[in-house]
Amino acid sequence: MTALEMFRNRLVKLKKEKTKWANRNSVFCYRVYDEDIPQVPVILEKYEEKFVLWDRSSLKHQTEEEQGIRLNEICRIVAEVFGISQSEIIVKLRKKQKGIDQYNRLDFAKQEITVRESDLLFKVNVSDYLDTGLFLDHRWTRAYVRDLCHGKKVLNLFSYTGSFSVYALKGGAIQLTQVDLSNSYLDWAERNLELNGYTQKSYESIRADILDWVESEIQNKSREKYDVIFVDPPTFSNSKRMETHWEVETGHVPLLKNLATRFLRKDGILLFSTNFRKFKMEISEEEWKDLGFLIENLTEVSIPEDFRNKKVHHLFQIRFDSLGE
């Protein structure tokens, strides 16, 4: 049996299982295929009625022509199994991302659709960027943030397209501040907020380099403190708009220490996420305890059921150690 025949058989099985699971749990956007067969390294996600396929293969062992032929056959199988037109499948070629490449446009087709998650609505762009604007692996995390936010002051750093901001307000946050360096993503976030009935009176959007903003706020003696802080930085960035380049491996230590010790209220919670697969928290539990905090690794519980890859992100929760006071 060839790899593509195995892929087809696997996809038939996954369609049946995941459609049933999605209907039972009212999930409208989910990961269908997650590089299940090593010889067919693609990711397939379903956004309502749209399908997005990421090719994860390398050009080391194939030409671009061979890659195109193989992808065409994969799309033909997907279309056949799901009963759709092959032209309805959005294909994205995966390449190693450096610096801000992950935010650059791949296309200008602007195939933007509105999708549902829980009882909320989000704009996703299935064509123009490597990512769609809604990270499906954080479905659980968004719901968790909503549960934390009733009557709380919330800070969303590296806010991207604002999905966590929407969930925070839906959960009853009384104050929301979202910060991002990109005007495009702040505009996108504001459209998502407006789509769910939230006006600019409900929140504050700040365009800034997060590291600069944190440092400037530290100098502000009357700075705000927050009950819930969510921070999901890029793995690496060397944007020309930043004073220095950023690497999550080395940058997370001072950032998290500053946020926890200077921005978090006594009964507050700091959530830190990264999709860097080799990430290791460089502040030990003992060090956090010395600072007066407890840290909990929520990664395992936060990975949704439809993700076969359990290393798609890391998630940590940091809060004050009430017993240590």
Side-chain angles (χ1 to χ4, degrees):
M1 185 180 292
T2 68
L4 289 179
E5 287 172 334
M6 289 190 291
F7 171 69
R8 187 188 186 286
N9 291 341
R10 179 67 175 157
L11 205 58
V12 169
K13 181 181 179 182
L14 288 172
K15 178 193 175 185
K16 181 179 179 181
E17 293 176 350
K18 294 200 173 181
T19 300
K20 185 182 296 185
W21 166 82
N23 290 338
R24 185 171 63 249
N25 293 281
S26 298
V27 176
F28 308 100
C29 304
Y30 55 92
R31 182 160 291 191
V32 179
Y33 176 89
D34 198 2
E35 299 185 77
D36 298 52
I37 299 169
Q39 300 94 321
V40 188
V42 299
I43 291 171
L44 180 67
E45 290 183 346
K46 187 175 187 290
Y47 292 82
E48 297 278 357
E49 301 307 316
K50 288 283 186 180
F51 289 82
V52 181
L53 185 140
W54 286 265
D55 180 42
R56 303 275 297 182
S57 67
S58 169
L59 287 174
K60 288 183 179 180
H61 306 294
Q62 63 181 339
T63 65
E64 289 187 8
E65 183 179 0
E66 289 170 335
Q67 181 188 45
I69 293 171
R70 182 182 58 84
L71 279 173
N72 186 66
E73 185 62 16
I74 288 172
C75 288
R76 186 192 66 77
I77 293 171
V78 172
E80 179 186 321
V81 170
F82 284 92
I84 60 173
S85 167
Q86 193 167 325
S87 62
E88 288 298 303
I89 304 167
I90 309 299
V91 178
K92 302 190 179 186
L93 301 181
R94 192 75 178 183
K95 64 179 181 178
K96 187 173 183 180
Q97 300 297 307
K98 294 183 179 180
I100 60 171
D101 287 350
Q102 59 186 312
Y103 303 112
N104 290 341
R105 282 183 178 267
L106 301 178
D107 199 349
F108 288 85
K110 200 175 183 181
Q111 291 193 46
E112 188 175 270
I113 60 174
T114 299
V115 300
R116 294 167 289 171
E117 185 176 83
S118 183
D119 53 347
L120 299 169
L121 299 173
F122 297 94
K123 293 286 186 183
V124 299
N125 186 319
V126 295
S127 60
D128 294 359
Y129 303 93
L130 185 59
D131 296 311
T132 65
L134 185 67
F135 292 111
L136 302 187
D137 59 298
H138 272 312
R139 190 186 305 116
W140 181 92
T141 314
R142 286 188 284 270
Y144 182 59
V145 165
R146 176 171 58 186
D147 291 342
L148 293 175
C149 287
H150 184 71
K152 306 295 185 182
K153 295 182 177 181
V154 180
L155 174 64
N156 183 8
L157 295 178
F158 302 98
S159 56
Y160 190 46
T161 60
S163 59
F164 279 94
S165 297
V166 173
Y167 268 86
L169 289 176
K170 185 65 176 180
I174 58 172
Q175 179 179 315
L176 169 70
T177 301
Q178 59 180 10
V179 188
D180 200 281
L181 183 58
S182 167
N183 276 328
S184 296
Y185 284 127
L186 284 174
D187 290 343
W188 195 335
E190 289 176 2
R191 287 191 294 131
N192 277 333
L193 286 157
E194 183 180 2
L195 192 62
N196 290 279
Y198 301 110
T199 66
Q200 292 187 354
K201 293 180 180 180
S202 308
Y203 60 88
E204 180 182 17
S205 290
I206 299 174
R207 181 192 173 276
D209 172 356
I210 276 71
L211 303 183
D212 286 346
W213 182 82
V214 168
E215 288 299 324
S216 66
E217 284 295 294
I218 288 174
Q219 304 305 318
N220 180 7
K221 293 182 179 179
S222 60
R223 68 177 175 275
E224 189 70 72
K225 287 202 171 186
Y226 302 89
D227 302 288
V228 178
I229 300 174
F230 180 74
V231 54
D232 185 13
T235 297
F236 177 84
S237 180
N238 62 356
S239 169
K240 293 178 181 178
R241 292 172 292 181
M242 295 178 66
E243 291 292 328
T244 59
H245 77 273
W246 159 269
E247 291 183 21
V248 73
E249 284 183 279
T250 54
H252 73 278
V253 173
L255 176 62
L256 292 180
K257 282 185 176 180
N258 274 331
L259 291 176
T261 58
R262 300 171 184 268
F263 290 81
L264 197 63
R265 295 169 68 95
K266 279 294 183 181
D267 57 348
I269 287 177
L270 167 61
L271 289 170
F272 166 74
S273 174
T274 175
N275 62 359
F276 181 43
R277 292 192 181 191
K278 298 180 181 179
F279 180 79
K280 180 183 177 183
M281 177 65 71
E282 295 295 341
I283 319 174
S284 67
E285 289 186 29
E286 290 73 22
E287 289 177 279
W288 277 116
K289 279 194 172 184
D290 289 342
L291 290 170
F293 296 89
L294 296 175
I295 184 169
E296 183 179 1
N297 190 337
L298 298 180
T299 303
E300 185 175 348
V301 69
S302 71
I303 306 296
E305 187 178 337
D306 49 317
F307 278 72
R308 192 182 69 87
N309 173 17
K310 302 305 179 185
K311 295 182 179 180
V312 66
H313 69 238
H314 299 269
L315 180 67
F316 298 87
Q317 176 174 277
I318 299 161
R319 57 186 174 83
F320 278 94
D321 181 2
S322 58
L323 298 178
E325 294 180 349

